[in-house]
Amino acid sequence: MRLFSSVLLGLSLLSANVFAASPDVAGDDLPKQKHDYQSDVARLRKIVVNSLYSHRDVFLRELISNANDALEKLRLTALTERGMLEGAEQLNITIKAVKDEDGPGRIVITDTGIGMTPEELTKNLQGTLAKSGTTEFLQKAETSTDTTGTGNLIGAFGLGFYSSFLVADKVYVASMAAKTSKNPEPAQYVFSSSAEESSFEVYPDPRGNTLGRGTEITLELKDDALEYLETFKLTDLISKHSSFSSSFPVYLHTQRLEDVPVDETEETPEAESPAPESDDDDEVVIEEATEPAKEEAPKTKTFMVDEWVQMNAQAPLWTRDPKTVTDEEYEAFYAATWKDNEKPLAWHHFTGDSGSGVSFRAIVYIPSHLDESYWREGLEGSNKDLRLMVKRTFITNSLGEDALPKWASWVKVVVDAEDLPLNVSRETLQSNKFLKQLKSIIVRRLLQSLTRIQKEDKEKFDQLHATYGNVFRLGAVEDTKNRDTLATLVRFPTTQRNATSLDDYVENKKQGQKQIFYLADMGKSESDLAKSVFVEKLHARGYEVLLLGQPLDEVFVQNLKRWKKLPFQDVAKAGLKFGDEDLDAEEEKERQKELTEEYQPLLDWLKKEASEVVRDVVISNRLVASSCAIVADRHGYTANLEKMMNANNNPNKGLMHDFAKKAKIMEINPRSPLIEGLLKRVQQLPGEDEERDLDAEDELREVASVLIDGAMVRSGFAVNDSNEFFTRVDRILRRSLGVSETAPTDTTVKPAPPVDPELPTEEEPEEEPFPFMKPRMEQPPAPQWEVEEIDEDGNPVNPPKSHDEL
């Protein structure tokens, strides 16, 4: 946006007398033509003011759009009749707010367009639904052989003009038609009407020809609309709705204070010093050296400087050829449009056709960060950063039922369509096939951009995934149509790599491997997952395991189910297969069978002791160093799924939930010395006919209970009774240290004071919550002044004994 000095006032913007007074003082001798609104038009005006527009801010958009149409109509018509441009060579729109001393204030919107004759003022501004100046112009142009008159114009006046009454009590429209062969001497006329009147007047402008050509709309604001006199408010409205709606310059009048140096035109002559008298020509004259005078700061005077700010100094970025737009321009447009100081990661500028006859231009931006509110807004995407325009006029940022999916709602998009069916207020879109197509087009282009970054720029994609990794997971769950594409964008840490895609994992699978191994535990770090008991043998044998610690990982895998025809295998569940079991030697299979028979006494005994926790106890094929682990049955909950289900506050989860929670299997490692020792102790237990050692049996059961609960904790599950678990651990530790198990702990504590029901009489000072934030030095005391009484001559009445003169 460029600033123009007040010199532009002389460059055919507007004459100063245009704003000197409103065209509301018509002399009694001037002929006035009073017209009554048609009954349907009168009702229509009430609808416009009271019901049609949901926000009255749109009045400025409507009037600027009308002014643009008038300029466009002049430009097209002047192609065949150049004389129409006489009177005001510059084609522009100007907006000025005037704060009247004797009134609430007014806004003046002026264009140097085609203007209107008195007859056109009467016909066009009374607002019939079916007619407007531009509509009739296009109808004639479309039936004419002259193709220069065709074009897409929204419509000159009509309903848009009546939006003026949203903010104005009275509206004046001064207009002077362009010179034509049929009207070589046009005159400037005024249309005036108020919001409450059922009639309007048309009369010659008492100011004479102040426009040269064009139309000036003066809005006398209502008392509750004075906010529109502020420059920042007008700037905000123009930037939001109309900064690109006109191909002609749009200027906003502003004022600022400037200090200007004052030139001293009158200089005081210096007196010449007389020559010193001397009797001796050779006498030396000694002059006293004087210090150079200090330079005084130049005197300045503050002036109010009028400036015109062009609100649309550059053409809309999306209308230009992408090859001619620099990266700096794309970034500047992004920062100005969405008020984001961080540069976007990428963008995609394209043109297209929806296939239903609607052509459009668009820019899709990928921000470098995700707003914190994204995950708090639920599953409905807000699309608040989508700007849908029709012929460069902002319409809405909501696509209604055709909103982008939640996973893509963060994208920032500008779409400018050539034509769309709007409702009569042009604030909302009518149901249209294009909206559904637009949704799929934006999503498709976004995915194309993401895929291109993934292939061409690894560093940028790493940054992209760090920000949007969970968004891609959500998208793969939510958007079934684009699930596969979104899944390729997700990266996972593994037991062998920091990050890998599903495609890379499949390329790295072992011979005979028919599953994609993964371990999920929400909130766990990669290093903790890599130490899990469930991946010991897989990692030792060289199999790669996906380590899923993000909240959406488990949901992502459950919805995806398989990738490249390979199903996902949770290594925390029973039935783990490596894929090379058929290649095992017979000796290995026989050895597994022998171990089962050897440890059968321990298996049966542990199954009885852990009956409330697990369904079965088996020999493990996944443990290497750990003694035991608790795995979920095929239809049971893993530790991660159980956490997710417990997070649901619904107390009635049903019988299937209870079944899935109990569907656990305990696996023991026959090569663990602890398991070997436990087997020996179980084998030493007396039979039914032998004398039993109850203390030894209780001690063994206690060891087994600690082993089972410890396996639950290490496997990610919660123990049924944590207090009892740690009590048993305490007894075992006592025995290992030779401390008596029955030795009591000193539990004496100081009792509380006696009951005191009385309330304190004085409020105690509240303790500062953050005393470390208190400043080191107290605030200095407030300055104090002593005032003494003086008489009319300025002398003190009762002077103090000691009085210091300042």
Side-chain angles (χ1 to χ4, degrees), residues 591-633:
R591 174 59 179 164
Q592 190 73 11
K593 182 179 180 180
E594 292 175 357
L595 286 173
T596 302
E597 294 177 354
E598 179 184 355
Y599 280 84
Q600 193 63 47
L602 178 59
L603 297 176
D604 295 338
W605 185 81
L606 283 176
K607 183 177 180 180
K608 181 180 178 181
E609 294 297 323
S611 59
E612 295 183 359
V613 179
V614 299
R615 182 182 61 82
D616 197 4
V617 181
V618 298
I619 298 295
S620 176
N621 70 332
R622 78 183 73 213
L623 299 177
V624 177
S626 300
S627 57
C628 57
I630 305 294
V631 300
D633 207 347

Side-chain angles (χ1 to χ4, degrees), residues 34-38 42 45 193-200:
K34 190 170 184 177
H35 305 271
D36 292 329
Y37 286 108
Q38 300 175 7
R45 289 203 312 152
S193 180
S194 67
E196 302 299 330
E197 293 177 353
S198 60
S199 61
F200 60 91

Side-chain angles (χ1 to χ4, degrees), residues 468-479:
Y468 298 103
N470 277 329
V471 174
F472 300 153
R473 291 170 171 85
L474 174 64
V477 174
E478 178 188 22
D479 192 346

